[in-house]
Structures are given as C-alpha cells and as structure tokens.
Amino acid sequence: MDFDKLVAVYGELEKTASGNQMREILSEFFKKVSAEEINVIAYLTLGRISSEFDDINLGMADQMVLKAIAVAGGRDETKVKKLSKEKGDLGLAAEEIIKTKGRTLVPIGTLTVKEVFEKLHKLAGAEGSGSQDAKISILASLLQKSSPQGAKYLCRIVLSTLRMGVGEMTVLDSLAIAFTGEKKNKEFLENAYNICPDVGIIAGTIASSGLKGINKIGIRVGRPIKMMLCQRVENIEDIKEHIEGKIAVEEKYDGERIQAHKSKDKIILFSRRMENITHQFPDIITELNQNISAKEFVIEGEAVAIGKKGEFLPFQTLMQRRRKYDIEKYVIDIPVRLHLFDVLYLNGESYLEESYLKRIKVLEKIIKPSKHLVQAKRVITDDIEEVEDFFNHALEEGCEGIIAKSTAEDSVYQAGTRGWLWIKWKRDYSSEMKDTVDLVVVGAFAGQGKRSGGYGALLCAVYNEKDDSFETVSKLGTGFTDEQLEELPKMLNKYKLNHKSARVNARKEMKPDVWFEPRLVVEVLAAEITQSPIHTAAFDGEKGLALRFPRFMKYREDKKAEQATTAKELEQMWRKKR
Ligand code: ATP
C-alpha cells in the first residue's frame, strides 16, 4: 500500500473530534487493507512500529529531526528551525519544506507503507557510534521520497507526537466493526488483547482467521499479560456484600507491581505499564532463579524497598530504582523484597481460569522463601472482625492496607479487569471524607504572581472505559512544592497540543490555556465529591462530578492514563457518600 493512502486517513482523523466518526473512518479503511499488511497499519495508526511493550525506541530528539529535514529539503538548519518556530511544530515545517523542494530536488519513486515500516525499524535499531548520523540519514531518505503531508506525519511519528486522539480501544472497536460487522464483538478482541496486548497480532488474527482465531489467542511467555486490578468499597463491612463465603485477605504493599516471565533460562520483568524493567532488578532475577522451582512461569508480586531491619520503605524510595545507570550501586543502597501473590502460567499450562485457592497452592509449592523473596501474607476467613484485625496489623507492619480476594470456584485471574474478585481497603479510606483518586492531566491554566511563567493549576480528568475518553473532574492547584511547580512545564510540555485531544471530553466553556495529550497521572486527595455543571465526569445531562479541595499527593509514573480512576468508580464513590 502507498504510504499516502495511510497519510490521507491520518489527515481525516486529525480533523475529527468525534470518537464515533473516528471509528467509522478507521473501520472503512481497515476493510481495504490486506491481512498481510494490517498489523503494520494498526501499529502506525497508533504512531508506533511495534507493540507497546516491545523495547523499541523510535524517539528522535528535535535537533536530529531538524537536521534530517534540512538534508532532505536541501535547506540550512536555521531556516528549518525558524519555520518550525513559526508553524509551532517540526512536522508542519517538514511539510512546508518538502512542498517547495520540488524546485531543487526531484522526488525518487513512491513511498510504500512497507518501506516506511522497515526503514523506521532500521532507524530505531541504529546503535553505537555513528548511530545519530545513521538515524538522520534514514529519516532524510524517507522524507525525500515522501509527499509533503507524508513528511509531516513521518516527523511526528519519529518524534512520538502523532497525537490524533486514536487509542488502542478505538483501534479494537474499528477492527471489530470492519471484520465482524458489529462493534459489540469488540468484547472478544478486548479479551484477547488483555492476554496479548499487541494490536498488530490482534489485527492480523482478526483479518486472517476472524473471531475463531481471536478466541484461540493464549499466553506466550515473554509477552506481558494485562494485570488484574481491584475495586474499592467505602466501608470495610461492604466487602461481605461482594465476596461470598471465605475471603482471602492479603497485605497491600505500597511498591511496584511486577509480572515475572521465565522461559528456559531467561527471566523478563514487566511493570504495571508493561515496560520491560528487567535491567532495573538484577537482584530480583537472581532470587527468582534461585528460589522458584519451575522451568517456565508467569508470576506476579509487589516489589517493595526495605530497610536494614527488613522494614518497608516508602514508594518514593523504591522509585529511585527506576534508572538506566548505576544499577549495581542502587541494588546495594536500596534493597528490595518481592512479595509474590499470583501464578498465571506454569510449565506449559495457563492458570488464568483456575480459582484463587488453586493458584495460591501452586505458588506455595514452587517458592522457597528467602530474605528477598516471600509470599504475600494472608489470612482466609469469613469473619469481618478478623478482616479488620488483619487490616490494623497490616498498617502496623507498614503496609498501605489490605486486598480482599474471593476464594470462590469462579475466582479466576481476570486479566486487564478491575472486577469485584479483588477489593482493596486502604488507610486513606478510613479517615473521614477523604478519597484519593488517580487523575490524568489534560490541560493547564497559566500561573499568576509567584507562579507566572509556569502553570498555576492543572485540569484533571477521570477515564471513561466505555468510550475510551477522559472526562474533566477538577482543577488542581494546591499541594505542590515549589520545586514540583517549577518542574511542571518540563514534565508536561512534551504532551502539549495546539487543540483539545479528541479523547478529552470537556464542556465548551472549559478553556485552559494549554491542552495536553492525556498521559501524566497524578494522585489527588480531595475532601469531597460534588456535582458541578462545569465538569463532564459521569455527566448526567446537566451536571458532572467534581472534587472539592483537591490536593496533589504524588505523580503516578507507574500508571498509564487508561489506568487512572474511572468515571464509573468516581460515581460509585459519590453515590456511597450521599
Ligand atoms: P492504589 O492507587 O490504591 O495503589 P492502584 O490503582 O495502583 O491502587 P489497584 O487495582 O487499586 O491499583 O490495586 C492493586 C495494586 O495493588 C496492584 O497493582 C499492586 O501493585 C498492588 N498490590 C499490593 N499488594 C498486593 C496484593 N497482595 N495483591 C494484589 N495487588 C497488590
């Protein structure tokens, strides 16, 4: 397929603010794509060249892209820089330069999607000395061969700023419509995607073997599985309303969730965001190699930083282990302990459909506990007083609360789902009128006075799973330290948009000074949830939900925007409090 055909679709998507229209455009387009090429098209539509979890880094710095445009257009760099400033983005500068280059250079042939994909892989793979020049020259050759509009999007892809407002869920919806005729079949694609979060594979499978093929997709060691999540209740007694019979109560550790995959002699660790974080934890790899007796496994646990006496250290201490360099030093300075709590796969067999008790039994069998590798502590009871005792004890130990887990026959591992089989109960909940929520920053208001030149307040949103959109819920201006305020532009400017993202649902009157692509997640503590006509969270036609006295607590860099608090959860919290 010619790259320009895909570029024309990008153009249409960019002009569209409605999610439904996007699905229509994409599904019509997918129908015309061959089964061999649809995986590539699916990745490129999301501005990528591989699945989200692959360790492929396209990201080119602005300066390098600028050089490539200059080479391709036969212009000097200062001219490109000036144009980019005028237009507000390097993509638009490339479009303009390639439009006028006809006078100086002759275009060479037509660019195909396959060639773009292959060359972008080559570009991402360039390493070592001379790699910068190699990347620039690959991009320049692509730009020379592309149309002006194609040049715009090529630059945005390599800069990771495509931002057309298309998310994975929009692609899955559109695939379901294109290949099964019905959006409701997305359910099957989503189930498969939870076990195989690779849009390329999902697109290729639905196009070549339909829903039958999709339903056969299973676990592959080395490919992350979307993690199972918890619901929350407002009163500890309410756990009984949702979990019948015996409840397994586990300590809730405040660390980082880790999904460990072992095949033959290789172990890979994935984070909650499905990033490969193996290199950060050589100590955990050694522990798993020495103390888990299985050839192949996918197991999960929470890694927590520990002090000299084995006591828990705060989440922020653990976050210092998020680094590329000096790993060995940090292994010594900040030791960790992995608390294992689930088995998803073992020696060729999937355990996703097995009950909690069966999974835990298996875990017990394969683990030899050590100082740095243990099982999550638990009690199994049907007495709510015992649950409460365990909760108080967990707090004394330094945990953030408990997770109550169903032990029923159907207590399967629900990949990628926030269901009622796991329910969390945290310390914050027991203090009156206080809820913490994880919100996505979608905009900002310019600061005044002491804050002028930076941002005075952020516009935050909750996630609407059904529509794959973000609904505004609060302005957030308190709780930041001076340093945090200062670094806000640096953290956010890479997500800046010159329009509202199509995935953000805001009232017309809501006019922040800047809009952002929904990416950054922040934890916010609020005094109360109220109704307000200016926000769109769980909107009832007249009013949405809003937060009173919101306070910034911390960044949740371990979370993706789609893992923020959902509009539905917020509504449940609000209804319970009324
Ligand atoms: P929070 O913001 O309250 O930490 P969350 O939004 O990150 O929660 P939840 O689904 O609400 O995610 O809580 C589950 C998280 O709790 C898991 O992702 C995991 O990191 C952590 N956790 C700690 N201990 C356990 C445990 N014993 N079992 C399952 N998850 C645990």
Side-chain angles (χ1 to χ4, degrees):
M1 176 185 284
D2 284 352
F3 183 53
D4 272 345
K5 282 209 176 127
L6 178 61
V7 164
V9 176
Y10 283 173
E12 275 183 74
L13 290 172
E14 206 181 4
K15 276 189 251 142
T16 309
S18 132
N20 279 340
Q21 222 172 331
M22 282 187 172
R23 286 175 185 85
E24 243 171 66
I25 296 170
L26 271 178
S27 58
E28 282 308 308
F29 177 58
F30 287 158
K31 282 183 197 161
K32 295 182 211 135
V33 180
S34 73
E36 289 73 47
E37 242 177 345
I38 195 144
N39 58 340
V40 171
I41 298 279
Y43 293 137
L44 287 173
T45 308
L46 290 166
R48 302 198 200 113
I49 55 166
S50 63
S51 70
E52 197 185 342
F53 60 82
D54 267 322
D55 248 349
I56 293 179
N57 188 4
L58 250 184
M60 273 174 88
D62 282 10
Q63 196 55 33
M64 284 163 73
V65 175
L66 197 145
K67 278 195 175 141
I69 301 171
V71 172
R75 301 292 167 86
D76 62 63
E77 288 170 34
T78 37
K79 162 93 187 162
V80 183
K81 201 169 182 176
K82 191 164 160 254
L83 201 57
S84 155
K85 271 230 167 97
E86 273 168 34
K87 301 256 175 197
D89 133 60
L90 272 166
L92 292 171
E95 181 176 27
E96 182 70 27
I97 284 179
I98 298 299
K99 210 186 277 171
T100 49
K101 93 170 177 199
R103 280 180 254 134
T104 51
L105 292 167
V106 187
I108 332 155
T110 331
L111 201 54
T112 62
V113 166
K114 186 164 174 264
E115 187 178 351
V116 168
F117 189 69
E118 286 171 358
K119 288 238 171 99
L120 290 180
H121 266 279
K122 210 165 145 202
L123 185 153
E127 273 179 21
S129 69
S131 64
Q132 291 210 352
D133 289 342
K135 284 179 197 268
I136 292 169
S137 126
I138 296 170
L139 179 59
S141 73
L142 279 174
L143 293 175
Q144 267 175 351
K145 225 174 155 183
S146 96
S147 64
Q149 248 209 332
K152 169 170 90 180
Y153 293 119
L154 277 170
C155 289
R156 288 186 183 168
I157 290 175
V158 296
L159 286 164
S160 305
T161 56
L162 193 56
R163 295 177 200 160
M164 295 179 306
V166 178
E168 281 105 3
M169 291 305 134
T170 319
V171 171
L172 293 187
D173 276 349
S174 312
L175 287 169
I177 301 167
F179 294 103
T180 75
E182 290 194 69
K183 188 175 147 188
K184 74 171 186 342
N185 286 328
K186 176 203 176 181
E187 182 193 329
F188 300 103
L189 278 80
E190 214 179 313
N191 287 344
Y193 187 68
N194 283 334
I195 301 172
C196 164
D198 182 327
V199 270
I201 295 182
I202 303 288
T205 308
I206 187 89
S208 62
S209 31
L211 283 181
K212 236 182 172 172
I214 287 289
N215 292 337
K216 276 199 202 133
I217 290 179
I219 295 180
R220 203 188 69 199
V221 180
R223 181 173 68 196
I225 297 162
K226 287 210 165 188
M227 297 183 187
M228 176 167 176
L229 299 170
C230 312
Q231 281 285 0
R232 61 166 110 196
V233 280
E234 289 304 317
N235 295 304
I236 198 160
E237 302 84 47
D238 296 348
I239 292 174
K240 287 276 260 187
E241 279 175 27
H242 299 280
I243 300 182
E244 265 182 42
K246 296 256 186 210
I247 307 166
V249 196
E250 292 183 1
E251 287 184 333
K252 186 175 195 298
Y253 307 99
D254 193 10
E256 173 154 30
R257 175 116 169 225
I258 288 188
Q259 193 177 80
H261 288 235
K262 177 171 178 177
S263 61
K264 290 199 188 118
D265 294 318
K266 194 171 163 207
I267 296 185
I268 304 178
L269 306 180
F270 290 106
S271 72
R272 171 87 181 264
R273 304 180 59 156
M274 298 189 298
E275 297 146 319
N276 183 333
I277 49 168
T278 315
H279 69 281
Q280 284 176 33
F281 296 106
D283 42 348
I284 290 185
I285 303 289
T286 309
E287 285 292 328
L288 292 172
N289 268 322
Q290 288 175 352
N291 296 316
I292 301 284
S293 58
K295 277 203 212 74
E296 266 191 320
F297 60 68
V298 179
I299 54 180
E300 278 188 3
E302 186 91 349
V304 195
I306 52 168
K308 289 217 167 60
K309 293 185 195 132
E311 75 278 17
F312 295 119
L313 298 179
F315 176 74
Q316 278 77 1
T317 312
L318 180 74
M319 284 298 110
Q320 294 180 43
R321 292 279 304 256
R322 279 192 165 239
R323 54 180 51 250
K324 279 203 182 126
Y325 308 106
D326 297 334
I327 304 281
E328 292 304 331
K329 174 180 173 334
Y330 277 81
V331 165
I332 297 166
D333 290 354
I334 304 176
V336 298
R337 184 167 56 224
L338 183 62
H339 295 256
L340 289 172
F341 53 72
D342 224 317
V343 177
L344 284 65
Y345 183 88
L346 189 71
N347 298 334
E349 264 180 68
S350 167
Y351 277 75
L352 295 181
E353 296 299 325
E354 300 294 350
S355 69
Y356 169 84
L357 290 177
K358 185 149 181 207
R359 301 201 306 277
I360 290 308
K361 214 166 155 190
V362 166
L363 184 61
E364 180 105 44
K365 251 196 205 152
I366 58 170
I367 174 177
K368 191 171 107 212
S370 72
K371 190 173 163 210
H372 295 278
L373 188 76
V374 293
Q375 269 205 69
K377 241 192 227 164
R378 68 176 69 82
V379 289
I380 296 181
T381 178
D382 51 10
D383 178 357
I384 209 73
E385 270 181 31
E386 212 177 322
V387 175
E388 222 162 338
D389 282 349
F390 188 81
F391 169 71
N392 289 329
H393 189 67
L395 294 191
E396 274 166 30
E397 294 253 304
C399 296
E400 62 170 353
I402 51 166
I403 301 193
K405 299 184 176 178
S406 163
T407 63
E409 268 303 297
D410 64 353
S411 56
V412 296
Y413 184 97
Q414 297 177 311
T417 307
R418 193 181 280 286
W420 287 102
L421 294 177
W422 287 8
I423 300 171
K424 60 181 170 180
W425 175 254
K426 295 205 296 186
R427 180 195 295 124
D428 305 347
Y429 306 169
S430 41
S431 58
E432 256 176 75
M433 303 299 274
K434 278 186 179 170
D435 289 302
T436 60
V437 282
D438 296 322
L439 304 180
V440 186
V441 181
V442 297
F445 300 85
Q448 282 167 359
K450 207 174 113 199
R451 295 184 179 185
S452 72
Y455 296 128
L458 305 178
L459 178 61
C460 298
V462 285
Y463 181 55
N464 177 328
E465 296 171 289
K466 219 171 109 241
D467 302 339
D468 187 26
S469 63
F470 296 89
E471 300 174 344
T472 74
V473 68
S474 182
K475 272 194 197 180
L476 176 67
T478 36
F480 298 99
T481 61
D482 285 350
E483 294 85 65
Q484 281 166 338
L485 271 179
E486 218 165 278
E487 71 182 16
L488 271 180
K490 205 176 93 211
M491 296 203 61
L492 282 161
N493 284 356
K494 51 182 180 281
Y495 306 131
K496 218 170 180 178
L497 298 170
N498 50 12
H499 53 83
K500 182 175 73 62
S501 160
R503 293 172 78 199
V504 171
N505 182 356
R507 304 284 292 159
K508 264 210 298 294
E509 310 76 50
M510 181 58 76
K511 291 201 172 97
D513 296 297
V514 247
W515 289 104
F516 299 117
E517 202 198 349
R519 284 282 188 93
L520 184 70
V521 180
V522 289
E523 187 175 307
V524 176
L525 178 74
E528 203 185 340
I529 303 166
T530 55
Q531 279 193 303
S532 148
I534 65 168
H535 288 293
T536 51
F539 200 67
D540 67 2
E542 267 182 40
K543 286 179 182 162
L545 297 178
L547 301 183
R548 282 192 64 207
F549 308 126
R551 254 189 101 69
F552 171 83
M553 303 296 286
K554 63 181 182 216
Y555 294 112
R556 287 298 304 256
E557 281 160 309
D558 58 323
K559 281 198 167 185
K560 293 202 316 170
E562 292 79 3
Q563 292 166 337
T565 300
T566 62
K568 209 164 131 203
E569 281 179 275
L570 192 76
E571 193 176 345
Q572 279 165 359
M573 288 159 70
W574 172 67
R575 286 196 188 286
K576 278 271 162 76
K577 284 273 164 74
R578 287 209 304 165

